Amino acid sequence: MEAREREPIVGRDPELARLLRAMDSETGDPVLLLLGDVGMGKSALLDRVVRRAEAGGARVLRAEGSEPESTLAFSALHQLLRPVPAEIDGLPERQRAALHGAFGAGPATADGGLMLTGVAVLSLLSALGERGPVLLVLDDAQWFDRASLDVLSFAARRLAGEPVTMLITARVGDRLPGFDRHVPTLTLGPLDDAEAGRLLDLQPHSPTGRTRTQILDQAEGNPLALTELARAAAAPGAAAKPPPAGPLPLTAHLEKIFAARLDDLPAPTTRALMLLAAMDTVDSAIAAVPDAEDDAWPPAERAGLIRRTGHTLRFSHPLVRSGVYHAAPLDARREAHLALAALLRDEPDRRAWHLAAAATRPDADVSAELERTADRARRRGGHAAAAKALQRAADLAPRSEDTARLLVEAAADAALTGDLAWVEELATAVRARTDDASLLAEAAAQVGRLAVLTVRHSVVFPQLVHTAEELAPTQPSTALDVLAGAAVVRYYSGQDAQRHRIEDALRTLHEDASHAWLRTWVRTVSDPFDDRAGLLALLPRVAAEAQRRPDRLTTYAVMAWLLDETPQAVRAFDEAFDRWGSRGALPEGLGGAAAWSYVELGRWGRAREACARSIAVGAAAGLEHAVACAAAVDAAVLAYQGDPTAARARADEALALIDPLESRSVSVFARRALGASALAEGAYETAYDQLRTVFTADGAPVHYHASYPALADLAAAAVRAGRHAEADAIVERAARTLAGNASPRLRALINRARGLLADPEDAEPHFRAALADPVLEHWPFERAQTLLDLAEWLRRRRRITEARVPLTEALETFRRLGARPWIERARAESRAAGLDVTDTAPDALAELSPQQQQIIRLAAHGLTNREIGEKLFLSPRTVSSHLYRSFPKLGITARAQLRDLIEGPLATADHRD
């Protein structure tokens, strides 16, 4: 290793400087991705950075990807955190149990899954950072197992403000889930001619003449190729050996060069190398490979095939392993895998994969071992590892019916990774291997369940409906399940033609009492304002079903939200979250419904928690549409709370992730948030322009459900932007379209809009009508806006005494919610009405950022920094930093003062946050 550390890095000074800058806590990037083709020097650069970091006192944790271990759930994360067992043991109980369960050192946790494991890693890194800077090095991450990547990407997105740097290397063109977007990237290109020549000059036997020219041409600026071709050219007898045949890729040439060095090695060395190649792990507990001091290794070391790291031996490059492995005869490979399997009886997952690698024909016993491996991986949250094990188990299953069954199970696990192409591949394999209607139906359903969460709505919808129609005669239950997914796609896309297609498909399905709740779901999601009264009459049955089947609580909650039965929706969401915690590898269909329900009921902190979870889960699964849904809701809350800059950033993030014609719902929600941001700043023309886009040119809603709640804000912006007539036409068209199907909430919004747009002498009855129904108290922000509008109207009519009552109530509500722009507007109006308005603690709270408000509220309830971090997916250090910055603004010096300071507003707002 010492010799390797002294090797010069030619032509990479700018890249090395960029990597070193990343570790600067003030100016560096918390995460940096280094990309490059094989042999470009990624690992050599990381080695140099590691030495510099260690010399500066940083704690370095490193993991190197290994192709054989990519099938083992959490193997890369375990390698990374293996040096810090004491710190893991110091985590809170649930987080500690999550990590131990992920590593197979304890039972799988009953809740939390990847989310809780991610929080545990974040807490661990934050704790390490309290002692000094931390450097995480993830080398050859394209070979990390998916579960590790999901957890590490979760942590990576939350490292801002932590003294932790994450440097990642991967090959160009390889997908790295979770690190695909918004991660600063540095790409290593080939060396130029001068740099390549300088590297050759530094070799022990620098080539000259024609040989040098050939090496420069063949290496194409690849540093590994330059050094290894030079070494091969200098080897005894090299001139007599013919060059590799055919136009092979550079990597294949290098593999052949490495494999050719095996010819002159002693037999014990060759056998040891084959075992190391079959294993390719740093697990020193496996004794099959000779000890680092064994006489078998010096010849391999002299041949440049291995390198020493302390008492551990590794191949000098991944291509060496590949060359050694593939150059060996099949029998030698089988012998190596069987030898390793025999020694791995205490590591059943590794043993199963070695037995599978040795299998040359179907083997029921090995297939069963892989099935058990899949089950263990699944219970730990490693769904990608489970799917791979089941897919290989299917290859080895002797009976075709077992093959098809295993492939269906693999598809179910693959669906939880968010990889739709993989699920479709597995479903195609099922169709090729069985005619069993139930298996074919289940495979189709797995494709449908995942397809619903992607952005490909116009492609996915006809596929789902077609599948439902095909399954209807033989598998009506599964057909209805698939149609339920099609209804979700219809909601996301908002295309009217899709509603008619769903209605046609629904008519072909025989009505069955056991499927009534699912039929109600399809109808409600497809169009909640078509026979709303009839759907409301069915809702109690759905509620009763949810009590018998708690896994259907969220289904009931979504339907209640769509029908503007928000209090019922929130109670059901609360119960679901209390029962299930943060479990779930994928977002729910219509996952934004929970957050919107909390927003509407005035529980904005809880809404942001729901958004944080959806964004984290969606990002980990690579489901950008789920991230966009949550980001749009979060943007609305930020706008209401008076952080328009952050709101616009969130809304822009949502819009960047979707096609507005494919995802009308998300587009409309994001535009509503942008409109609210502009209203908060008094930019009424901008607000009107944004809100106008949620209706078509002729005034129809762009989305059949998401557009209507914008009517009142549209009117408010129109009055001040001089667009009165156009807005009035849109409001009246909506009123005619909804007619008797409008919910009390929408009738109130329409009445508020009419009051704003009416001639001054005609406005009062509309405002009074918008406030008349007591049920409207369940939408406190919307009600408070109407109260403020009425109060302003009354004051302008010089009915000042009457104005004070709605003003007082509106201001109290805005304070309780933390709606800063509306607090200021209500305070100004109150002063104009002669009310004595003084600054109070809730106003001071409203001066904090929305995230600081969340943290303060949770701290006031007695939660520790770790508990708050676990709830909001933040590190304890980040929570502590927010508290430290918030206390002076609140005029307090101790945590114990929080409850007394804000107990009043917390008693009615976000009381369960």
Side-chain angles (χ1 to χ4, degrees):
M1 182 66 179
E2 292 303 318
R4 178 181 171 85
E5 290 180 354
R6 290 194 297 269
E7 291 176 1
I9 301 180
V10 175
R12 299 302 192 201
D13 290 345
E15 291 86 353
L16 180 59
R18 177 72 178 82
L19 289 169
L20 292 171
R21 281 201 308 275
M23 293 190 297
D24 188 323
S25 60
E26 298 296 326
T27 60
D29 295 304
V31 184
L32 182 62
L33 178 59
L34 180 63
L35 297 178
D37 290 327
V38 174
M40 283 297 178
K42 302 184 295 296
S43 297
L45 281 170
L46 285 188
D47 288 343
R48 189 64 56 87
V49 173
V50 165
R51 292 199 304 278
R52 191 77 63 89
E54 288 176 334
R59 179 66 180 268
V60 178
L61 299 176
R62 185 167 188 166
E64 295 184 15
S66 165
E67 192 171 8
E69 293 192 8
S70 64
T71 58
L72 301 173
F74 297 107
S75 57
L77 186 65
H78 183 245
Q79 184 188 154
L80 184 74
L81 300 183
R82 187 165 50 182
V84 289
E87 286 79 358
I88 293 175
D89 289 339
L91 290 172
E93 182 180 354
R94 289 179 70 240
Q95 297 180 25
R96 181 175 67 250
L99 276 178
H100 284 161
F103 298 155
T109 53
D111 66 348
L114 285 174
M115 297 289 290
L116 185 57
T117 307
V119 171
V121 170
L122 190 61
S123 296
L124 176 65
L125 296 178
S126 182
L128 289 171
E130 291 177 359
R131 306 174 195 172
V134 179
L135 174 63
L136 303 180
V137 176
L138 314 179
D139 200 4
D140 278 329
Q142 74 278 356
W143 285 330
F144 278 22
D145 64 280
R146 177 60 186 272
S148 294
L149 281 174
D150 287 345
V151 168
L152 289 168
S153 63
F154 174 94
R157 288 188 292 274
R158 291 158 178 83
L159 290 180
E162 300 285 344
V164 180
T165 303
M166 184 181 290
L167 299 181
I168 313 154
T169 73
R171 293 183 180 178
V172 172
D174 282 318
R175 181 170 176 264
L176 213 57
F179 295 98
D180 294 327
R181 297 177 58 87
H182 310 307
V183 174
T185 301
L186 179 64
T187 302
L188 291 181
L191 301 178
D192 62 28
D193 290 344
E195 293 165 341
R198 197 153 63 88
L199 182 57
L200 288 181
D201 290 340
L202 292 169
Q203 300 310 303
H205 302 283
S206 179
T208 59
R210 182 168 173 269
T211 300
R212 184 185 183 93
T213 302
Q214 288 178 328
I215 290 173
L216 288 169
D217 289 343
Q218 191 173 9
E220 299 174 344
N222 184 295
L224 179 67
L226 287 162
T227 56
E228 294 302 333
L229 290 171
R231 182 182 184 122
K241 293 182 180 179
L248 292 174
L250 180 59
T251 53
H253 279 306
L254 288 170
E255 279 193 23
K256 284 183 173 291
I257 289 172
F258 293 135
R261 295 179 193 167
L262 298 172
D263 296 342
D264 301 324
L265 295 178
T269 301
T270 304
R271 284 195 297 272
L273 285 170
M274 184 60 236
L275 283 169
L276 186 61
M279 178 177 60
D280 196 22
T281 178
V282 297
D283 193 342
S284 59
I286 299 175
V289 175
D291 182 84
E293 304 304 321
D294 193 279
D295 291 341
W297 293 119
E301 195 170 6
R302 287 193 294 271
L305 299 176
I306 63 167
R307 60 185 171 93
R308 296 174 184 268
T309 306
H311 296 293
T312 304
L313 293 166
R314 300 183 186 184
F315 285 111
S316 57
H317 193 274
L319 283 182
V320 178
R321 176 203 170 269
S322 182
V324 169
Y325 187 84
H326 293 293
L330 179 60
D331 286 345
R333 281 186 251 167
R334 289 190 69 248
E335 181 182 343
H337 284 296
L338 289 171
L340 290 168
L343 289 160
L344 287 167
R345 296 192 183 279
D346 293 333
E347 295 190 49
D349 296 335
R350 291 177 182 273
R351 179 176 184 274
W353 277 107
H354 281 296
L355 290 173
T360 57
R361 61 177 64 87
D363 188 314
D365 290 337
V366 178
S367 179
E369 289 249 19
L370 286 169
E371 235 186 307
R372 289 189 285 272
T373 286
D375 183 57
R376 285 188 292 271
R378 184 186 301 115
R379 283 187 275 115
R380 291 153 55 199
H383 295 287
K388 289 178 180 178
L390 289 167
Q391 191 170 10
R392 180 62 176 138
D395 293 338
L396 295 174
R399 301 191 309 164
S400 59
E401 56 267 36
D402 288 333
T403 296
R405 173 185 60 81
L406 290 165
L407 286 170
V408 169
E409 292 180 17
D413 277 302
L416 295 173
T417 70
D419 190 337
L420 181 58
W422 188 11
V423 179
E424 289 174 332
E425 172 195 328
L426 290 165
T428 299
V430 173
R431 290 193 291 272
R433 286 166 173 79
T434 187
D435 295 324
D436 186 303
S438 62
L439 289 176
L440 291 171
E442 183 57 28
Q446 294 301 339
V447 174
R449 286 167 192 148
L450 180 55
V452 162
L453 300 173
T454 70
V455 295
R456 298 165 41 189
H457 303 315
S458 61
V459 174
V460 165
F461 180 83
Q463 292 175 346
L464 292 176
V465 177
H466 177 69
T467 299
E469 291 168 343
E470 280 191 329
L471 294 173
T474 58
Q475 300 287 322
S477 178
T478 306
L480 193 54
D481 192 25
V482 174
L483 198 60
V488 175
V489 176
R490 144 74 173 158
Y491 184 89
Y492 286 145
S493 70
Q495 294 185 25
D496 287 335
Q498 293 178 351
R499 176 170 66 90
H500 303 304
R501 184 85 187 272
I502 287 174
E503 290 172 347
D504 292 342
L506 201 57
R507 279 191 290 269
T508 67
L509 287 165
H510 175 70
E511 291 207 31
D512 186 321
S514 65
H515 300 153
W517 72 276
L518 204 49
R519 295 183 75 93
T520 305
W521 166 269
V522 173
R523 289 179 56 199
T524 305
V525 174
S526 298
D527 193 344
F529 301 125
D530 178 23
D531 187 25
R532 179 176 180 272
L535 292 171
L536 278 177
L538 295 172
L539 205 55
R541 297 186 200 174
V542 180
E545 177 75 14
Q547 288 305 310
R548 290 191 298 272
R549 293 278 305 274
D551 57 311
R552 293 177 179 170
L553 274 168
T554 54
T555 302
Y556 162 60
V558 169
M559 284 190 268
W561 170 69
L562 288 167
L563 293 168
D564 274 338
E565 295 295 314
T566 304
Q568 294 183 49
V570 166
R571 284 194 295 271
F573 279 126
D574 278 345
E575 186 177 351
F577 293 153
D578 288 344
R579 283 176 179 266
W580 307 116
S582 57
R583 270 189 295 177
L586 291 181
E588 297 282 348
L590 291 182
W596 274 121
S597 297
Y598 291 125
V599 171
E600 292 167 10
L601 203 66
R603 293 173 59 185
W604 293 352
R606 185 80 162 189
R608 296 207 69 206
E609 288 175 36
C611 290
R613 178 185 178 276
S614 290
I615 289 170
V617 174
L623 296 171
E624 294 181 342
H625 193 267
V627 175
C629 288
V633 189
D634 206 34
V637 180
L638 287 165
Y640 299 157
Q641 291 178 322
D643 193 346
T645 301
R648 281 191 291 270
R650 270 289 197 227
D652 289 344
E653 176 187 348
L655 291 169
L657 292 171
I658 55 99
D659 179 340
L661 297 180
E662 288 270 337
S663 301
R664 288 174 175 82
S665 62
V666 175
S667 176
V668 166
F669 287 136
R671 294 295 174 188
R672 280 171 51 186
L674 290 169
S677 297
L679 281 172
E681 294 179 307
Y684 297 112
E685 290 188 6
T686 300
Y688 184 82
D689 289 342
Q690 291 291 351
L691 294 167
R692 181 63 182 84
T693 64
V694 309
F695 296 91
T696 64
D698 61 358
V702 168
H703 188 274
Y704 62 92
H705 174 263
S707 290
Y708 287 125
L711 287 168
D713 281 349
L714 177 77
V719 168
R720 294 167 174 83
R723 309 294 286 274
H724 182 288
E726 186 177 39
D728 186 64
I730 293 172
V731 170
E732 294 308 317
R733 174 170 179 157
R736 290 192 302 273
T737 301
L738 290 168
N741 283 314
S743 65
R745 176 203 180 196
L746 287 183
R747 287 197 296 271
L749 290 172
I750 289 170
N751 279 318
R752 179 190 169 212
R754 283 170 166 167
L756 289 165
L757 295 167
D759 291 336
E761 60 273 15
D762 300 326
E764 184 174 11
H766 298 301
F767 289 136
R768 298 291 185 189
L771 296 166
D773 193 333
V775 76
L776 299 175
E777 293 181 0
H778 293 304
W779 291 270
F781 183 56
E782 293 170 4
R783 176 178 167 80
Q785 287 178 299
T786 307
L787 287 166
L788 181 57
D789 291 334
L790 173 62
E792 288 177 339
W793 182 89
L794 288 169
R795 190 182 65 79
R796 283 161 177 72
R797 306 276 78 72
R798 301 187 182 281
R799 295 162 60 180
I800 294 175
T801 301
E802 292 179 71
R804 290 171 179 169
V805 174
L807 263 177
T808 300
E809 185 179 347
L811 180 56
E812 180 184 346
T813 300
F814 291 140
R815 282 174 167 167
R816 172 164 54 83
L817 295 173
R820 285 184 286 182
W822 284 268
I823 291 172
E824 291 305 314
R825 184 176 147 197
R827 287 171 63 186
E829 189 66 27
S830 296
R831 282 191 287 267
L835 290 171
D836 182 17
V837 181
T838 58
D839 291 337
T840 63
D843 281 339
L845 180 66
E847 292 304 314
L848 303 179
S849 74
Q851 188 169 68
Q852 287 171 337
Q853 289 182 42
Q854 279 184 283
I855 291 169
I856 289 294
R857 292 178 189 277
L858 293 171
H861 281 302
L863 275 69
T864 67
N865 289 359
R866 289 186 182 276
E867 290 168 336
I868 295 171
E870 196 170 299
K871 208 170 178 63
L872 300 181
F873 312 115
L874 301 170
S875 73
R877 175 189 290 268
T878 300
V879 173
S880 176
S881 176
H882 279 300
L883 287 170
Y884 177 79
R885 292 197 298 269
S886 300
F887 280 14
K889 297 177 183 178
L890 295 173
I892 62 175
T893 57
R895 198 183 192 106
Q897 297 172 271
L898 285 174
R899 179 171 290 278
D900 291 339
L901 181 72
I902 56 177
E903 189 173 24
L906 285 177
T908 48
D910 285 348
H911 58 282
R912 293 192 55 169
D913 286 6

